[in-house]
């Protein structure tokens, strides 16, 4: 506790300078009692500013402003829980911004919508001096030294890649560094914890062969696998197959609140074996299982998870602007010091809290980068999902034409045309057909 040491030496110098012991005693009391638990929390967070695993400001920008950044001043945004001023007040140094698009876009325009959300986060983080776009652990550390807020980009829901590994790779190129395998809908290759949508139902196949290929490709790229929102079976299968540590970017303890979005103890144990991280979600519904909660309920999750797998496996993923109700005293991103204060009151050590605030995430991200480096000689996967697994009429399949069939078709249609008027049309048809046969 260096700050206390400073106070003690300040008190000592007062001792030496003061005329009488009574005055010295008075000064000492003032100093010690003036240094509250709140100050301790804030000091600690200044030294170890928070890496927050999940934030949905970009979703709110779409809903409220149709992504027109020019309409808002990100320093102070109304009707949301996140803006630059409050991130600074809350000592948030790195924010994983979710580029979430709703499950209704699956099999439709999920890829376009995700690109648009990436665009708005990239604009936020390049047009504002307070932000910096980050894609590596080193970037996060550099931003911290420059007193900037680092932005990480995370996809929420595997439906965003439309079952395409090339699309996954291109998202990586745009700066995406994590992806949760599902949101509230199953994908053709992974299972959601939610039964909200009845798409891609499956039995005993929570992670298909293609799903395993997605995990391996994410390992190869250096993209963090996020298990928040997946079913427990899917999470277990991923933990068996991932070479790199994984995260739950915004989930809490199922033992403390038995919500399907939370993580049971047996799964926490497997997460620990993987050296992964659970970043505790603050949404009231996941914290107290009710619409109201307070900071004690949140701290109960931290205490419980620490008992089961240790502070070295815990982080914070607030879920601000993604969920609707938050605990009293933790209503927006400026309130994080209240949580740290509560954990200090519960005898969490400063080392444990430094881990929770940032060091654990940096370690996991670093290990993900190491696995990427280890796999650097591996070629990009050319596995395609089987068409029957996607069952999507919107999916075009482009391939070389079968010339025998084409010639037969041409003969039939030229007989039907009875003359030269149809020839230019036929020629165009032949030209196009020789490029692609579109089904
Ligand atoms: C799924 O697996 C469980 C146990 O692993 C087994 O009892 C059940 O019969 C299986 N169901 C199907 C449809 O294969
Ligand atoms: C939080 O709420 C519970 C009741 O649900 C109460 O017992 C507890 O004292 C509250 N804690 C704080 C810090 O307000
Ligand atoms: Zn979510």
């Amino acid at each position: 506790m260096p700050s206390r040491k400073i106070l003690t030496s300040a008190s000592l110098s007062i001792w030496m300078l003061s005329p009488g012991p009574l005055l010295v005693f008075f000064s000492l009391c003032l100093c010690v009692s003036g240094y509250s638990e709140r100050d301790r929390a804030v000091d600690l967070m200044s030294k170890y500013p928070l890496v927050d695993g999940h934030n949905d400001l970009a979703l709110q920008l779409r809903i409220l402003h149709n992504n027109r950044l020019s309409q808002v001043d990100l320093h102070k945004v109304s009707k949301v829980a996140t803006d630059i001023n409050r991130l600074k007040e809350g000592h948030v140094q790195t924010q994983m911004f979710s580029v979430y698009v709703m499950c209704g876009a699956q099999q439709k325009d999920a890829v376009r919508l995700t690109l648009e959300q990436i665009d708005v986060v990239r604009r936020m983080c390049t047009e504002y001096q307070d932000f910096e776009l980050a894609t590596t652990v080193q970037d996060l550390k550099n931003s911290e030294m420059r007193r900037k807020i680092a932005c990480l980009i995370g996809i929420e829901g595997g439906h965003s890649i439309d079952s395409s590994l090339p699309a996954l790779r291109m998202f990586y190129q745009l700066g995406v560094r994590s992806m949760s395998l599902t949101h509230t809908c199953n994908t053709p290759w992974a299972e959601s914890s939610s039964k909200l949508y009845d798409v891609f139902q499956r039995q005993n196949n929570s992670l298909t062969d293609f799903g395993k290929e997605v995990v391996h490709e994410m390992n190869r790229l250096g993209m963090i696998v996020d298990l928040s929102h997946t079913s427990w079976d899917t999470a277990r299968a991923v933990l068996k197959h991932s070479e790199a540590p994984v995260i739950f970017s915004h989930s809490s303890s199922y033992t403390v609140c038995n919500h399907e979005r939370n993580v049971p103890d047996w799964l926490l144990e497997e997460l620990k074996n993987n050296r992964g991280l659970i970043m505790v979600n603050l949404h009231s519904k996941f914290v107290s299982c009710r619409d109201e909660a307070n900071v004690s309920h949140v701290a109960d999750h931290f205490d419980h998870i620490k008992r089961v797998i240790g502070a070295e496996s815990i982080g914070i993923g607030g879920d601000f602007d993604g969920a609707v109700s938050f605990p009293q005293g933790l209503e927006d991103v400026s309130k994080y010091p209240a949580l740290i204060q509560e954990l200090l009151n519960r005898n969490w050590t400063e080392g444990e809290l430094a881990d929770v605030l940032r060091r654990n995430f940096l370690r996991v991200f670093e290990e993900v980068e190491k696995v990427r480096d280890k796999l650097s000689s591996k070629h990009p996967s050319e596995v395609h999902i089987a068409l029957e697994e996607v069952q999507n009429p919107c999916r075009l399949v482009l391939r070389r034409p079968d010339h025998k069939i084409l010639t037969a078709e041409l003969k039939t249609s030229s007989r039907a045309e009875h003359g030269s008027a149809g020839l230019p049309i036929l020629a165009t048809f032949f030209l196009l057909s020789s490029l692609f046969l579109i089904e």
Side-chain angles (χ1 to χ4, degrees):
M1 288 175 291
S3 310
R4 270 207 170 150
K5 268 185 214 138
I6 289 163
L7 283 174
T8 315
S9 48
S11 315
L12 275 178
S13 40
I14 288 167
W15 180 281
M16 290 184 287
L17 294 171
S18 297
L22 197 65
L23 186 58
V24 172
F25 181 70
F26 183 64
S27 317
L28 195 67
C29 284
L30 252 191
C31 283
V32 171
S33 65
Y35 188 63
S36 62
E37 289 291 303
R38 171 77 190 186
D39 296 334
R40 241 182 110 198
V42 168
D43 279 353
L44 188 66
M45 291 192 79
S46 312
K47 238 169 98 195
Y48 302 101
L50 176 64
V51 177
D52 182 297
H54 196 84
N55 183 288
D56 271 303
L57 176 63
L59 172 67
Q60 297 306 324
L61 290 175
R62 177 178 285 277
I63 293 172
L64 299 171
H65 301 284
N66 208 5
N67 283 359
R68 291 194 178 91
L69 267 193
S70 60
Q71 288 184 353
V72 293
D73 174 2
L74 285 185
H75 291 98
K76 193 175 185 310
V77 188
S78 54
K79 302 200 192 92
V80 299
T82 312
D83 54 33
I84 291 170
N85 290 346
R86 282 178 285 174
L87 285 167
K88 285 183 171 170
E89 199 182 330
H91 296 269
V92 181
Q93 186 276 318
T94 295
Q95 182 64 68
M96 179 77 80
F97 283 110
S98 166
V99 290
Y100 162 73
V101 306
M102 32 318 267
C103 272
Q106 173 153 239
Q107 311 279 63
K108 292 183 187 156
D109 46 6
V111 173
R112 172 181 62 87
L113 290 166
T114 305
L115 285 168
E116 290 176 0
Q117 293 309 95
I118 293 173
D119 174 70
V120 81
V121 172
R122 291 187 63 107
R123 285 192 58 200
M124 272 169 47
C125 299
T126 50
E127 292 176 20
Y128 283 81
Q129 297 273 303
D130 308 88
F131 282 132
E132 277 182 343
L133 201 63
T135 55
T136 63
V137 173
Q138 193 56 51
D139 284 350
L140 301 191
K141 293 178 178 169
N142 293 346
S143 293
E144 202 236 326
M145 284 189 302
R146 288 195 284 262
R147 305 257 161 249
K148 306 267 187 180
I149 301 166
C151 306
L152 286 172
I153 304 177
I155 288 177
E156 187 173 15
H159 58 287
S160 280
I161 65 166
D162 195 11
S163 302
S164 159
L165 297 179
L168 174 73
R169 290 194 282 270
M170 290 304 98
F171 282 132
Y172 180 87
Q173 290 298 328
L174 295 175
V176 174
R177 288 297 176 270
S178 83
M179 179 172 81
S180 68
L181 300 191
T182 74
H183 190 251
T184 47
C185 47
N186 299 333
T187 65
W189 42 273
E191 186 179 61
S192 169
S193 65
S194 162
K195 304 283 169 279
L196 208 59
Y197 295 83
D198 59 358
V199 291
F200 304 116
Q201 303 273 18
R202 54 168 62 83
Q203 274 181 325
N204 288 5
N205 199 13
S206 54
L207 187 71
T208 66
D209 286 343
F210 185 79
K212 287 168 198 157
E213 200 66 21
V214 172
V215 171
H216 289 143
E217 193 64 0
M218 291 177 74
N219 287 165
R220 191 190 65 83
L221 287 167
M223 197 187 278
I224 302 169
V225 178
D226 180 356
L227 296 180
S228 280
H229 285 287
T230 66
S231 73
W232 297 346
D233 280 350
T234 297
R236 191 203 326 236
V238 171
L239 285 164
K240 214 179 284 170
H241 284 94
S242 177
E243 288 187 51
V246 305
I247 63 170
F248 288 85
S249 68
H250 58 307
S251 296
S252 304
S253 158
Y254 186 80
T255 299
V256 180
C257 160
N258 61 350
H259 191 287
E260 67 192 10
R261 277 280 283 101
N262 289 339
V263 184
D265 291 350
W266 63 264
L267 190 51
L268 289 177
E269 304 272 8
E270 295 189 18
L271 179 69
K272 186 183 177 64
N273 292 338
N274 160 272
R275 304 180 50 74
L277 194 60
I278 174 169
M279 308 181 85
V280 176
N281 190 318
L282 305 189
H283 176 35
S284 298
K285 198 92 195 168
F286 302 161
V287 162
S288 66
C289 280
R290 293 185 294 125
D291 289 327
E292 298 89 38
N294 60 37
V295 68
S296 315
H297 293 115
V298 179
D300 291 345
H301 286 263
F302 283 84
D303 279 344
H304 178 78
I305 299 171
K306 185 170 88 168
R307 263 197 302 277
V308 179
I309 52 171
E312 68 275 16
S313 313
I314 309 178
I316 300 175
D319 206 4
F320 286 109
D321 288 318
V324 278
S325 58
F326 283 87
Q328 215 179 4
L330 293 173
E331 294 86 356
D332 63 54
V333 296
S334 72
K335 306 291 172 63
Y336 282 118
L339 172 60
I340 301 308
Q341 186 184 337
E342 174 70 16
L343 294 175
L344 282 168
N345 278 334
R346 292 184 181 210
N347 294 322
W348 282 59
T349 67
E350 299 201 349
E352 286 169 341
L353 288 172
D355 284 350
V356 167
L357 283 165
R358 71 185 283 114
R359 293 195 300 215
N360 290 338
F361 183 86
L362 293 188
R363 169 183 57 79
V364 167
F365 196 9
E366 228 150 34
E367 288 189 31
V368 166
E369 289 182 345
K370 277 201 191 111
V371 169
R372 172 201 65 190
D373 295 344
K374 200 186 86 188
L375 298 176
S376 62
S377 62
K378 235 181 115 193
H379 291 291
S381 169
E382 295 182 346
V383 169
H384 287 255
I385 196 162
L387 206 54
E388 56 274 20
E389 286 175 30
V390 192
Q391 304 159 347
N392 182 1
C394 296
R395 222 170 163 87
L396 296 186
V397 176
L398 309 184
R399 64 173 193 235
R400 289 177 66 82
D402 181 331
H403 279 280
K404 270 185 224 141
I405 295 175
L406 260 185
T407 318
E409 276 174 2
L410 278 171
K411 277 186 186 146
T412 323
S413 43
S414 74
R415 244 178 263 127
E417 288 291 339
H418 282 301
S420 59
L423 274 180
I425 301 168
L426 274 177
T428 313
F429 171 73
F430 187 76
L431 182 70
L432 287 175
S433 308
S434 64
L435 292 174
F436 305 116
L437 182 66
I438 298 172
E439 301 188 317

